[in-house]
Amino acid sequence: MTTATAPVLQAKGLVKVFGRVVGLNDVDLTLYPGEVLAVIGDNGAGKSTLIKCLSGALVPDRGSLFVDGKEVRFKRPRDARDAGIETVHQTLAVAPALDIAANLFLAREIRRKGILGSVFRMLDTREMKKQAADHLERLGIGTLQNIDQAVETLSGGQRQSVAVARTAAFGGRVVILDEPTAALGVRETGQVLQLVRDLRDQGLGVILISHNMPNVFEVADRIHIQRLGGCAGVITPQSHSMEDAVAIMTGAKKLSPEVS
Amino acid sequence: MTTHVESQAAPAPAEEFLNRPATPAQRIHAVLHRQPALSPAIVLVLAAVMFSLVNERFYALQNLSLVAQQVAVVGALAVGQTVIILTAGIDLSIGAVMVLASLLMAKLVADHHWPGWLALLAGAAVATAAQAVNGLLVTRVRLPPFIVTLGTLSIFTALSLIYARGRTVSLQPGTFLTWSGETVSLGQLHLTYGVLLVIALYAVVGYALRHTAWGRHLYAVGDDAEAARLAGISVNRVLLSAYVVAGLTVAVAAWILIGRVGGGDPNSGLNANLQSITAVVIGGTSLFGGRGVVIGSLIGALIVQVFVNGLALAGMDPNYQVLAVGILVIAAVSVDQWIRSVKS
Ligand SMILES: Nc1ncnc2c1ncn2[C@@H]1O[C@H](COP(=O)(O)OP(=O)(O)O)[C@@H](O)[C@H]1O
Ligand SMILES: [Mg+2]
């Protein structure tokens, strides 16, 4: 991790409420290029709300966002994507009736070359299928035999792989993964963790939400701990143990003021 | 990853169970799931064979020509209705918009001596604007499509009656607007230009749904709007576009209606609203959105007309025609319910 470089993504003072329920309470987050930032916290701690604010899925009530130091305002998921931020949401956000290739290229379809594409707006289905197969192959999840398969016929783990593949294939600057391994077996989880490392090594910033402490401590450079809608602190696998992390997460222990 | 080879072990019992061979019912289910127009196509063929056996006049080309001409107006409306239903919407006002547009076109020519093509464009503009009102109420005011179009059904119907002052408008035959009612003969088959327009409409919209990003986004939004939004699709824009495209197809339907009626009639097409929904549903498009193909709606419209025509030729009381259509609708939705229940 090279903290000398400027943050690729930064959030300051994010607040998000749902009616009377506080989802996020004055949360700061800093993500550097080429690092894995894990976000941990109990259920309801605001992890998903936080990444939804970072990915344009929710518009925060207060606070500001910066990409490469420039202030941005995401009104819709598309805005974040255009800024190079790709997200796997906990709810997966795949179109069940569309096939795997169509899902990978949803909202960024490739058109045919020449007049067929420019005037008749014809999609280049073959090219998209080819690229989709390549992406899945590269991620080692080519086990999805049939790229023509509708996503609704896939298992939960396979759907998760499709969602992760979409993010990895198109991630420009930042990749955000909200519990991407929740439905995965040991082998697939290993693949996703390897993918996280690969993306980091390519210089992307990666935010990983996970409940699996060993996984988190295995891949994370820094760990952002959410608690009751606020940030309870940022630690590193070197500075703290897993037990510390869980204690801070549950409020059994307070983090002394620290430098991160 | 080179570790974790343990998951390559022999298949567990559950794994074996999951990979068990499919039963015949499951295979049928899988095929129907992939081909939403297949079951209506089978019903259409079976119905045609059945009515041909009952009365051989059914398959006379003359009779089939009649069926095609009778189906043209509802068939054209069903295109727009399909596009809207694919987004998990519904349009109860679509027939009323058609009548309003056809009256406007006819009156602009008959009373104001506009050239036919200009009147057609004006009618298309009004139909599109009317549908845009539906779309804006759905997307901006966030009202359910059923409620919106229930309201605009009354509004557009009333506007037609007020505008026409209850009178019909006759047009000279052989003019631009009545061209859609003129006959084209292909041997014994006597179609109208309106029928050809309908076929063209299905081809164009079928292409757009299948081969363009717009079509994919329409399915994605109808399937799961929130997932589509998170994937980066502008859900509201897609929804609004569905109503606007429907407006354009309504304009074509209005032109065909003028050809059939020979002008504008505020009391024509009274049942067209529900008939278009019937055609879409019998055609295998799911009312829950995201599943269906536009050609199914043409088949659905044909099925209804074949039953109406066939039962009439069989000398049945016309009330049985209505009864049959009702049974068809229930059967079609039941099949859809079964098809949508995914087993995996
Ligand atoms: N759309 C919503 N409407 C109402 N409350 C919500 C909504 N989304 C999240 N919340 C609430 O905000 C809090 C944080 O939720 P969330 O971010 O999903 O937590 P986590 O992902 O850490 O489990 C919870 O109390 C949750 O009930
Ligand atoms: Mg969550």
Side-chain angles (χ1 to χ4, degrees):
Chain A
M1 181 181 73
T2 49
T3 37
T5 50
V8 60
L9 177 64
Q10 200 169 17
K12 286 186 186 159
L14 292 183
V15 172
K16 182 73 197 176
V17 298
F18 305 100
R20 306 289 321 157
V21 178
V22 177
L24 281 183
N25 184 9
D26 194 21
V27 172
D28 294 351
L29 178 142
T30 308
L31 176 71
Y32 293 95
E35 77 159 341
V36 177
L37 176 70
V39 175
I40 61 172
D42 250 339
N43 282 327
K47 303 182 296 294
S48 293
T49 308
L50 174 59
I51 66 102
K52 278 184 185 160
C53 289
L54 301 178
S55 63
L58 284 175
V59 179
D61 300 319
R62 290 266 167 80
S64 34
L65 288 178
F66 303 85
V67 173
D68 286 336
K70 267 203 296 279
E71 174 148 23
V72 290
R73 223 159 256 286
F74 298 150
K75 292 204 194 66
R76 55 185 80 84
R78 178 113 210 179
D79 298 342
R81 217 175 71 177
D82 292 345
I85 300 172
E86 285 290 328
T87 309
V88 175
H89 290 278
Q90 199 172 357
T91 49
L92 291 183
V94 286
L98 296 182
D99 63 41
I100 295 172
N103 261 289
L104 277 183
F105 283 92
L106 194 56
R108 60 179 119 230
E109 289 83 1
I110 300 174
R111 276 196 244 129
R112 292 278 286 264
K113 295 211 172 50
I115 190 166
L116 277 179
S118 59
V119 177
F120 295 100
R121 312 252 133 198
M122 189 188 251
L123 294 177
D124 196 340
T125 320
R126 193 184 305 165
E127 178 64 21
M128 286 190 279
K129 278 188 183 153
K130 191 178 140 290
Q131 290 192 20
D134 287 349
H135 286 311
L136 293 176
E137 185 74 39
R138 202 141 16 94
L139 298 179
I141 38 186
T143 48
L144 302 169
Q145 323 85 353
N146 190 353
I147 213 97
D148 298 321
Q149 233 174 324
V151 162
E152 67 196 346
T153 64
L154 302 179
S155 72
Q158 289 173 317
R159 279 185 212 202
Q160 213 149 27
S161 301
V162 171
V164 171
R166 180 166 68 190
T167 314
F170 300 102
R173 286 199 179 84
V174 172
V175 163
I176 303 176
L177 306 162
D178 191 352
E179 303 200 18
T181 56
L184 298 186
V186 177
R187 195 171 66 89
E188 290 90 346
T189 300
Q191 283 169 347
V192 170
L193 294 183
Q194 187 53 44
L195 174 70
V196 165
R197 289 192 201 94
D198 290 346
L199 292 170
R200 170 186 60 195
D201 295 346
Q202 288 163 27
L204 275 74
V206 183
I207 297 179
L208 173 71
I209 298 183
S210 177
H211 279 298
N212 185 317
M213 286 301 142
N215 284 349
V216 165
F217 273 73
E218 192 185 327
V219 296
D221 296 302
R222 294 186 303 133
I223 302 167
H224 169 120
I225 306 176
Q226 273 293 119
R227 175 169 158 69
L228 305 174
C231 175
V234 181
I235 62 172
T236 72
Q238 291 76 40
S239 67
H240 291 75
S241 67
M242 281 189 217
E243 290 70 29
D244 293 336
V246 173
I248 297 167
M249 201 174 105
T250 54
K253 184 172 166 184
K254 281 258 185 320
L255 190 68
S256 45
E258 48 88 51
V259 279
S260 98
Chain B
M1 294 295 286
T2 48
T3 49
H4 308 311
V5 267
E6 69 276 12
S7 62
Q8 304 288 2
E15 196 79 16
E16 255 172 2
F17 178 73
L18 279 176
N19 295 332
R20 72 199 181 282
T23 66
Q26 282 170 327
R27 284 212 195 104
I28 295 172
H29 184 278
V31 171
L32 292 183
H33 200 268
R34 252 175 293 135
Q35 308 285 350
L38 188 60
S39 39
I42 293 169
V43 171
L44 180 60
V45 170
L46 289 182
V49 169
M50 180 178 80
F51 288 121
S52 303
L53 294 177
V54 173
N55 188 333
E56 60 189 21
R57 260 170 48 220
F58 175 81
Y59 61 84
L61 285 175
Q62 235 158 350
N63 187 51
L64 293 182
S65 309
L66 185 68
V67 169
Q69 291 180 30
Q70 284 169 332
V71 105
V73 170
V74 170
L77 273 190
V79 176
Q81 189 70 262
T82 311
V83 170
I84 290 171
I85 289 181
L86 279 175
T87 68
I90 191 131
D91 190 349
L92 300 173
S93 74
I94 200 165
V97 176
M98 168 182 73
V99 174
L100 181 61
S102 71
L103 273 171
L104 179 77
M105 293 176 191
K107 276 176 84 82
L108 285 176
V109 169
D111 300 354
H112 304 279
H113 312 292
W114 284 34
W117 62 270
L118 196 58
L120 178 70
L121 287 183
V126 166
T128 309
Q131 288 293 0
V133 168
N134 282 334
L136 287 171
L137 287 169
V138 169
T139 55
R140 298 288 152 203
V141 192
R142 308 212 155 273
L143 300 176
F146 183 91
I147 300 299
V148 167
T149 57
L150 187 62
T152 54
L153 164 63
S154 295
I155 294 170
F156 297 140
T157 305
L159 285 179
S160 291
L161 292 169
I162 295 165
Y163 178 53
R165 297 206 193 84
R167 283 198 295 270
T168 60
V169 189
S170 314
L171 291 175
Q172 297 286 337
T175 57
F176 183 85
L177 283 181
T178 54
W179 171 83
S180 59
E182 283 171 30
T183 322
V184 238
S185 296
L186 304 165
Q188 289 286 304
L189 204 57
H190 303 295
L191 303 177
T192 57
Y193 287 104
V195 172
L196 301 185
L197 276 176
V198 172
I199 294 169
L201 197 57
Y202 274 90
V204 170
V205 175
Y207 169 86
L209 285 175
R210 195 173 152 71
H211 291 293
T212 71
W214 174 77
R216 279 208 182 160
H217 295 178
L218 200 80
Y219 280 93
V221 166
D223 213 2
D224 185 339
E226 177 61 10
R229 187 182 80 89
L230 289 176
I233 294 173
S234 299
V235 173
N236 276 349
R237 201 184 306 165
V238 170
L239 286 176
L240 186 58
S241 78
Y243 288 88
V244 169
V245 167
L248 292 172
T249 71
V250 167
V252 177
W255 192 8
I256 299 170
L257 181 67
I258 290 176
R260 275 194 70 73
V261 178
D265 180 352
N267 296 311
S268 62
L270 277 183
N271 299 319
N273 299 305
L274 293 181
Q275 283 170 343
S276 69
I277 297 171
T278 303
V280 175
V281 169
I282 293 180
T285 294
S286 172
L287 283 172
F288 299 92
R291 187 178 315 283
V293 284
V294 73
I295 191 68
S297 305
L298 183 57
I299 298 174
L302 281 169
I303 290 175
V304 171
Q305 202 54 49
V306 160
F307 267 83
V308 167
N309 178 277
L311 289 172
L313 284 181
M316 301 278 275
D317 180 333
N319 289 325
Y320 283 101
Q321 300 166 10
V322 183
L323 188 80
V325 173
I327 293 170
L328 281 170
V329 169
I330 305 271
V333 178
S334 308
V335 170
D336 174 53
Q337 197 74 354
W338 179 62
I339 291 175
R340 282 186 315 108
S341 64
V342 184
K343 70 278 168 189
S344 81

